[in-house]
């Protein structure tokens, strides 16, 4: 039976992710902060919620920045929400925080932007929103284009390489809802809270060989 490691660095509702993975038959799901267990896993999930400064402080304290670089290079790897944002180069949250830098680009604040009526966007962006599939990818298998997923975030991804954007959302402006390169896939929404389509994405992740 394959193992799926859900990285525990103290930030995020890890057990809801783990239960969703178990529900779709992903294999033996381990919520763990043990680097050895993470290295030996067949697949790795990197969730996260909260302030990026706190997240990055714990990630660096535990040495998980280097561990994430290592394990995401050679097996299926899924970043979720702040776990996605931490993979970028830098976030403007908390007056600027350097992140892991696996994907080029910045994390920007929605609250500075205006909606179509010229009013400042309310933050957080919370609730169901459509995701348009910019590129065909194995993790979109059996998920219709413009399917709705559940979001909770005040910051959004401004991708440095448009070709890495495989899913787009819109909240006052277009933003990267999903990024991918090689064996790495990351989403701004919460698949574990997104009912049928979210569970399908997790099932696709459990079956994915990491090639794209």
């Amino acid at each position: 039976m394959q193992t799926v490691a859900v990285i525990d660095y103290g930030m995020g509702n890890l057990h809801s992710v783990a239960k969703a993975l178990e529900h779709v038959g992903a294999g033996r799901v381990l919520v763990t902060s043990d680097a050895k267990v993470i290295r030996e896993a067949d697949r790795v999930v990197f969730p996260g919620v909260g302030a990026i400064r706190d997240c990055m402080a714990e990630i660096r304290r535990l040495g998980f920045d280097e561990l994430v670089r290592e394990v995401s290079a050679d097996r299926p790897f899924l970043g979720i929400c702040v776990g996605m944002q931490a993979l970028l180069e830098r976030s403007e949250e908390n007056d600027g925080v350097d992140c892991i830098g696996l994907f080029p680009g910045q994390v920007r604040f929605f609250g500075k932007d205006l909606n179509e009526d010229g009013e400042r966007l309310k933050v957080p962006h919370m609730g169901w929103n459509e995701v348009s599939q910019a590129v065909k990818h194995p993790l979109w298998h059996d998920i219709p284009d413009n399917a709705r997923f559940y979001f909770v975030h005040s910051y959004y991804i401004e991708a440095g390489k448009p070709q890495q954007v495989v899913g787009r959302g819109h909240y006052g402006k277009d933003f990267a809802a999903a990024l991918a390169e090689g064996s790495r896939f990351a989403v701004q929404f919460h698949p574990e809270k997104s009912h049928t389509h979210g569970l399908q994405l997790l099932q696709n992740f459990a079956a994915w060989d990491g090639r794209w």
Side-chain angles (χ1 to χ4, degrees):
M1 178 184 289
Q2 71 174 0
T3 58
V4 182
V6 179
I7 298 179
D8 180 4
Y9 56 100
M11 307 291 288
N13 189 359
L14 309 180
H15 293 286
S16 64
V17 175
K19 285 187 181 301
L21 287 162
E22 289 169 352
H23 180 77
V24 300
R28 185 167 173 243
V29 181
L30 306 169
V31 176
T32 182
S33 58
D34 186 325
K36 182 175 184 291
V37 172
I38 295 166
R39 282 192 176 95
E40 291 175 351
D42 300 296
R43 301 167 194 280
V44 177
V45 179
F46 186 48
V49 298
I52 194 70
R53 174 174 288 169
D54 297 338
C55 289
M56 286 307 306
E58 282 303 290
I59 288 166
R60 290 204 168 94
R61 183 183 71 81
L62 295 164
F64 284 176
D65 48 345
E66 292 303 323
L67 181 63
V68 163
R69 287 191 186 97
E70 176 189 333
V71 299
S72 67
D74 64 359
R75 73 203 75 182
F77 178 92
L78 177 64
I80 298 173
C81 196
V82 173
M84 175 195 194
Q85 295 181 3
L87 302 177
L88 276 287
E89 292 173 306
R90 186 170 174 80
S91 173
E92 65 180 26
E93 187 176 353
N94 306 125
D95 298 319
V97 176
D98 289 331
C99 300
I100 297 173
L102 282 177
F103 289 102
Q106 307 287 319
V107 182
R108 306 290 190 192
F109 182 47
F110 269 129
K112 293 192 217 175
D113 296 317
L114 305 179
N115 65 18
E116 286 81 356
D117 298 323
E119 300 169 339
R120 285 200 182 277
L121 291 172
K122 293 179 181 178
V123 291
H125 166 224
M126 182 167 66
W128 295 88
N129 205 342
E130 293 181 354
V131 173
S132 64
Q133 297 171 18
V135 179
K136 189 175 182 180
H137 190 282
L139 265 66
W140 294 138
H141 176 67
D142 275 350
I143 298 173
D145 194 17
N146 298 314
R148 294 167 68 83
F149 293 88
Y150 190 79
F151 290 83
V152 184
H153 61 126
S154 299
Y155 292 79
Y156 66 91
I157 302 299
E158 187 179 85
K161 288 185 178 178
Q163 65 268 32
Q164 293 178 336
V165 179
V166 295
R168 291 191 178 90
H170 185 84
Y171 182 62
K173 65 186 298 173
D174 289 340
F175 65 91
L179 295 174
E181 183 177 60
S183 58
R184 297 165 177 145
F185 195 94
V187 294
Q188 181 62 70
F189 52 83
H190 286 272
E192 76 281 8
K193 297 179 181 178
S194 297
H195 300 323
T196 303
H197 300 316
L199 291 175
Q200 182 65 52
L201 187 141
L202 293 177
Q203 186 174 323
N204 293 342
F205 174 71
W208 182 37
D209 62 6
R211 289 182 293 182
W212 175 50

